[in-house]
Amino acid sequence: MRNILLVWDIDGTLIHSKGCGRRAMEQTFYKLFGIKNAFQQIQMSGRLDAWIVRDALIMHNIQEKNLAVFFDAYCELLQLEMKDAEASVPIQGIQELLQYIKDLSNIYHALGTGNIERGARIKLAPQDLNRYFPVGGYGDAALERWQIIEQAVKRSNEHYKVIFQPEDIYVIGDTPLDIGCGKTLGVKTIAVATGSHGLEELRKHEPDHLFANLENYHEFFRIFTDKEYL
Ligand SMILES: [Mg+2]
């Protein structure tokens, strides 16, 4: 039986965090540097936290060495934001899908997210989703986004003691950037229109598989049964 690795994006794919990350970043910048709306001009969607914050620091003439201090304060504020029970909701169908996969011995999970690792864990905690993802690639360092996926695969190989083959690795995400990462690395891509991009927009980027949502997880698993993986 082949071993399959699913590399999951977080925001818009596993959960909707309703702008908690952005709010926590804005609050952190204000708390540390007294600047309001510091991220207003900065593109955040699908980008790495390290780049987002670095851009803001440069834009406001603050030394980049403050990056670590920023993230410490950010995690505290993000934690507060996420304490609100309604701050995040799982994408519909995701909990059922993860629960179902749990019993399949040849499917493994990793995170592949632009969030810093601590931020990712804070975002997934309210829905108790961290238990599915022992490893991942994160946005702590200012890497290219595809390098996060590469990192996730490398760590998965080590953690699960399985060498996953490119044709058995699936990047799952809600943006063209996620699809692009998979293509750069020569692995498979699954796009879901549960985030900020619609079905037709995602289709233009030619993912290997495309879903409006993951509510019908049997449809999702057809990807693998069709290939006689399961
Ligand atoms: Mg996303």
Side-chain angles (χ1 to χ4, degrees):
M1 206 187 299
R2 304 182 75 110
N3 290 305
I4 300 161
L5 179 66
L6 304 181
V7 185
W8 297 83
D9 166 59
I10 293 184
D11 299 291
T13 304
L14 290 172
I15 59 164
H16 282 303
S17 56
K18 300 185 180 174
C20 283
R22 175 178 278 275
R23 280 198 301 282
M25 283 208 178
E26 292 285 15
Q27 288 164 12
T28 307
F29 218 92
Y30 181 61
K31 185 181 169 187
L32 294 177
F33 313 118
I35 296 170
K36 279 190 176 171
N37 303 319
F39 294 88
Q40 209 162 34
Q41 310 291 327
I42 291 170
Q43 166 70 27
M44 284 191 175
S45 170
R47 297 185 66 217
L48 278 63
D49 282 356
W51 279 115
I52 293 169
V53 177
R54 186 178 274 199
D55 283 356
L57 293 172
I58 291 169
M59 182 179 275
H60 299 286
N61 295 315
I62 294 162
Q63 288 185 323
E64 279 183 53
K65 68 178 182 191
N66 286 291
L67 201 64
V69 177
F70 181 94
F71 281 130
D72 285 342
Y74 164 72
C75 286
E76 279 178 33
L77 290 169
L78 182 63
Q79 190 101 47
L80 289 178
E81 281 285 332
M82 301 300 290
K83 272 205 173 129
D84 177 352
E86 297 190 349
S88 84
V89 289
I91 299 291
Q92 255 184 328
I94 209 75
Q95 279 169 320
E96 292 80 358
L97 188 150
L98 291 171
Q99 191 61 29
Y100 178 72
I101 299 179
K102 203 162 66 64
D103 299 325
L104 304 172
S105 60
N106 65 325
I107 299 193
Y108 300 83
H109 296 292
L111 293 172
T113 172
N115 285 278
I116 58 167
E117 180 167 9
R118 282 179 294 165
R121 297 299 175 192
I122 292 168
K123 284 186 179 180
L124 294 177
Q127 310 299 336
D128 196 20
L129 294 178
N130 279 313
R131 62 198 162 116
Y132 297 108
F133 307 99
V135 284
Y138 308 94
D140 293 72
L143 303 170
E144 297 294 330
R145 194 174 169 93
W146 63 267
Q147 290 178 294
I148 287 178
I149 307 297
E150 189 181 55
Q151 195 178 63
V153 171
K154 192 167 169 279
R155 289 175 180 167
S156 296
N157 288 340
E158 286 162 10
H159 178 83
Y160 293 119
K161 298 187 172 42
V162 171
I163 304 297
F164 296 98
Q165 300 304 313
E167 64 269 29
D168 300 326
I169 298 169
Y170 292 79
V171 173
I172 309 173
D174 66 308
T175 69
L177 288 169
D178 297 300
I179 301 169
C181 288
K183 289 190 184 293
T184 302
L185 283 171
V187 301
K188 303 286 182 195
T189 53
I190 301 173
V192 284
T194 44
S196 49
H197 297 265
L199 211 52
E200 290 318 311
E201 202 183 342
L202 291 171
R203 198 188 307 278
K204 285 183 205 151
H205 297 270
E206 301 180 341
D208 293 293
H209 305 277
L210 176 63
F211 296 98
N213 57 61
L214 298 177
E215 279 175 58
N216 180 357
Y217 62 82
H218 293 291
E219 196 184 320
F220 178 83
F221 279 102
R222 205 166 298 141
I223 297 173
F224 310 113
T225 44
D226 281 356
K227 291 185 180 164
E228 298 175 348
Y229 272 141
L230 299 178

